[in-house]
Amino acid sequence: MSDPIQPLAGASPMPEASPYLQRILRARVYDVAIESPLDLAPNLSRRLDNRVLLKREDLQPVFSFKLRGAYNKMAGLSRAELDRGVIAASAGNHAQGVALGAQRLGCHAVIVMPVTTPEMKVRAVAARGAEVVLYGDSYDEACAEARRIETDRGLTFIHPFDDPDVIAGQGTIALEILRQCSPPPDAIYVAVGGGGLIAGIAAYVKSLWPQVEVIGVEPVDADAMTRSLAAGQRLKLDQVGLFADGVAVREVGEHTFALAQRHVDAMVTVDTDEICAAIKDVFEDTRSILEPAGALAVAGMKKDVQVRGLSGRCLVAVACGANMNFDRLLFVAERAELGEEREALLAVEIPEQPGSLRRFCGLLGPRSLTEFSYRLADPQLAHIFVGVQISGRADTQRLLATLEGSGFPCLDLSGNELTKLHLCHMVGGRLPASAGAALAQGEELLYRFEFPERPGALMAFVNALHSNWNISIFHYRNHGADVGRIVIGVQVPPQDLGEWQRFLEALPYRHWDETANPAYRLFLGPASQARPSVDGLVIADG
């Protein structure tokens, strides 16, 4: 077991009883909130060699912890204030909490949301009867507009984090954790945006069990609290990343910063891939899908365990939200393997000669492929973009050494953001006329194939190809389905066309001839062929 984490500068390892203790004990949250369960995460526990518990705030009625603080603040307003109405600025989760509180307390709510807010959150707020105003690209811009409307219309502003009553409402999560976990955990990991959640949790925990570590987690591109604590004063970021939109705050609050300075032990920052991996980890243990901000604590916990070498401890991660947009799931799935170091993206150079592709695939061994993109462009050399499932960084290094030692120079692109976002979808181009002529392989044929998606199936397909047939296009991408899909361009000499047809007929896979497909001829077909017209425009040869 490693040494205890060192406290941040200015933090008090043994604070006096927090003045927030009474506020938290008296907080009114259970009119709308549930006491969320503290669930064991068995898969994460085994992998991390620690007892991992998830505080399931994603199970709240609005799928987020935010209703606790919002309702506690609103429940303390006078009837006259409620009758005038309330207003809030939020990226979505606080907005839903305010809207639900307004429903319960019988008052009108106006919510100003950034235009970048996921549509699902906007709809959820409107469905609870709140008046939604979309304004600005970030929380800060939306907040400024909300303050203007507050003055113009005489409404009461419900701050999403920098208000003692809101902080106290969020602090009830710590009250539940310490009641549900006996003895207390060694550490509690908390997502940080404006700081309301960690301020409330830390204030309560440090009042009763100061030896319990409270560790904040932020995205690397929205780390206002991390930077502020390091500087000893609040700093305002020039810009923030929006992937974890629930914590996209440029400046933390005055109250929350003061509490974090006194009570928070450390901060951890994580990148997008690590957040995506944490979303997958929680899904595998709970079958629930957290939003990026909701998975921050898990991502930070994993990183802290790795960096400090923690083992045999009881660790709690607050799963604080599950308002995930469905259209983000593909991105999350693609990046999760990279974040967990279970996939490597490689650029490989192979000699352009029959049999090279088969030899290369043989060197990959039993590893499954996640992506394989190749387009013949040079008569002597080919460059392949390939995604390979690996079992950690050391496995990637072993694979690179094997490929290099066998005459296949390669480059690890796993950490290359340009590759992950763009180039992996852009590998291609036309077959130069010189390449086809130099190889004397005949006209290029294009076929699609479907085969049962199982380990080794792709390699078996490659091995079935005749060594005299030159592969000029090869693209495969694992879509997580039960069927694998490949597109292949192949140059078959005229004398081998009959054998090619017999090969197709003998395959137990479905296949389609796409040689005449206009999309292929427009973007991938040999440069020597005429192109079909687009809106009456004929694309010239070459």
Side-chain angles (χ1 to χ4, degrees):
M1 184 177 296
S2 66
D3 294 334
I5 196 165
Q6 295 301 310
L8 290 161
S12 172
M14 293 292 290
E16 61 190 36
S18 169
Y20 272 85
L21 180 59
Q22 189 175 80
R23 282 182 178 272
I24 293 168
L25 290 172
R26 290 183 171 183
R28 290 180 57 186
V29 301
Y30 299 109
D31 290 348
V32 292
I34 64 167
E35 178 172 328
S36 60
L38 187 66
D39 290 342
L40 177 69
N43 293 320
L44 268 173
S45 296
R46 282 192 295 270
R47 283 176 46 211
L48 299 183
D49 193 27
N50 289 278
R51 185 166 184 255
V52 176
L53 302 173
L54 302 177
K55 181 58 172 168
R56 300 293 307 280
E57 287 298 290
D58 58 301
L59 299 179
Q60 292 291 353
V62 297
F63 309 104
S64 164
F65 73 96
K66 285 284 193 175
L67 80 170
R68 293 177 182 260
Y71 188 80
N72 187 51
K73 172 65 177 179
M74 295 169 65
L77 297 179
S78 68
R79 187 66 254 175
E81 289 173 315
L82 290 173
D83 288 342
R84 286 196 299 270
V86 298
I87 186 168
S90 169
N93 290 339
H94 177 63
Q96 293 184 65
V98 172
L100 176 59
Q103 265 189 332
R104 183 64 182 251
L105 295 168
C107 73
H108 181 66
V110 179
I111 311 295
V112 184
M113 309 178 80
V115 295
T116 55
T117 302
E119 178 63 25
M120 181 185 66
K121 294 184 180 180
V122 176
R123 291 198 306 268
V125 172
R128 294 193 179 276
E131 176 187 342
V132 177
V133 177
L134 297 179
Y135 187 90
D137 293 326
S138 66
Y139 162 77
D140 298 272
E141 294 176 6
C143 186
E145 176 66 7
R147 288 295 197 181
R148 186 192 66 78
I149 297 174
E150 172 197 7
T151 301
D152 289 350
R153 296 172 56 175
L155 306 175
T156 298
F157 187 75
I158 309 298
H159 203 286
F161 51 83
D162 203 27
D163 182 288
D165 290 326
V166 172
I167 293 169
Q170 322 303 26
T172 58
I173 294 173
L175 183 153
E176 294 173 9
I177 291 173
L178 295 183
R179 184 165 60 224
Q180 294 166 323
C181 186
S182 181
D186 294 289
I188 301 174
Y189 296 85
V190 186
V192 178
L197 178 60
I198 197 167
I201 288 176
Y204 187 85
V205 169
K206 294 299 185 178
S207 296
L208 300 178
W209 294 94
Q211 69 270 34
V212 176
E213 297 173 349
V214 178
I215 300 171
V217 188
E218 291 181 305
V220 293
D221 54 1
D223 57 345
M225 183 67 83
T226 300
R227 296 191 188 194
S228 297
L229 290 173
Q233 61 182 343
R234 289 195 303 152
L235 300 179
K236 190 170 186 176
L237 304 180
D238 293 332
Q239 57 184 14
V240 293
L242 297 178
F243 176 64
D245 57 282
V247 293
V249 176
R250 292 171 61 194
E251 185 178 30
V252 300
E254 293 183 22
H255 296 286
T256 61
F257 177 67
L259 288 167
Q261 271 193 310
R262 184 165 187 172
H263 298 307
V264 172
D265 293 284
M267 296 294 298
V268 177
T269 58
V270 292
D271 62 26
T272 295
D273 291 351
E274 290 168 326
I275 295 171
C276 291
I279 293 172
K280 181 178 179 181
D281 290 326
V282 174
F283 174 79
E284 290 178 344
D285 264 321
T286 68
R287 297 303 184 266
S288 294
I289 300 175
L290 298 182
E291 62 184 283
L296 264 179
V298 175
M301 177 191 65
K302 290 170 59 185
K303 190 167 189 175
D304 191 41
V305 167
Q306 180 183 32
V307 170
R308 291 202 286 158
L310 304 180
S311 65
R313 296 194 178 188
C314 180
L315 308 176
V316 171
V318 181
C320 60
N323 287 295
M324 168 69 88
N325 253 28
F326 185 80
D327 56 11
R328 282 189 176 183
L329 294 179
L330 177 60
F331 176 85
V332 170
E334 288 178 343
R335 301 294 287 262
E337 297 299 289
L338 292 168
E340 194 57 41
E341 293 190 345
R342 290 183 289 207
E343 180 185 25
L345 300 180
L346 309 177
V348 184
E349 186 179 275
I350 69 173
E352 189 49 74
Q353 54 190 237
S356 290
L357 184 61
R358 181 183 298 182
R359 189 162 66 89
F360 167 72
C361 289
L363 292 173
L364 296 178
R367 297 178 179 87
S368 295
L369 299 185
T370 57
E371 182 120 11
F372 196 116
S373 296
Y374 157 69
R375 180 47 159 141
L376 173 63
D378 184 279
Q380 276 74 47
L381 292 174
H383 291 94
I384 292 175
F385 175 80
V386 60
V388 188
Q389 285 191 343
I390 45 95
S391 56
R393 195 70 198 150
D395 190 26
T396 301
Q397 296 304 316
R398 287 192 295 269
L399 176 58
L400 291 171
T402 297
L403 294 174
E404 294 270 4
S406 302
F408 295 104
C410 48
L411 179 66
D412 184 4
L413 298 174
S414 305
N416 189 300
E417 200 68 13
L418 175 64
T419 296
K420 292 185 286 187
L421 288 175
H422 300 290
L423 294 187
C424 62
H425 306 294
M426 297 171 67
V427 176
R430 301 194 188 287
L431 176 70
S434 58
L439 291 167
Q441 292 289 347
E443 181 180 352
E444 182 178 68
L445 307 175
L446 190 79
Y447 278 79
R448 283 191 301 118
F449 298 89
E450 284 186 357
F451 59 93
E453 185 66 273
R454 61 173 66 99
L458 181 60
M459 299 302 185
F461 180 88
V462 172
N463 288 331
L465 295 171
H466 197 290
S467 61
N468 288 336
W469 301 335
N470 187 60
I471 304 300
S472 53
I473 295 175
F474 194 105
H475 182 261
Y476 161 80
R477 189 177 184 191
N478 188 320
H479 289 89
D482 57 350
V483 175
R485 297 174 175 87
I486 302 175
V487 62
I488 291 180
V490 59
Q491 290 178 295
V492 179
Q495 65 271 21
D496 284 355
L497 288 175
E499 187 174 352
W500 170 255
Q501 288 300 322
R502 288 190 291 274
F503 164 77
L504 294 175
E505 292 168 1
L507 276 178
Y509 310 144
R510 294 203 300 168
H511 62 274
W512 295 264
D513 183 354
E514 299 284 7
T515 308
N517 190 306
Y520 158 65
R521 299 188 65 201
L522 277 167
F523 297 108
L524 294 171
S528 60
Q529 293 182 359
R531 299 286 167 262
S533 62
V534 179
D535 291 336
L537 175 66
V538 176
I539 300 177
D541 291 354

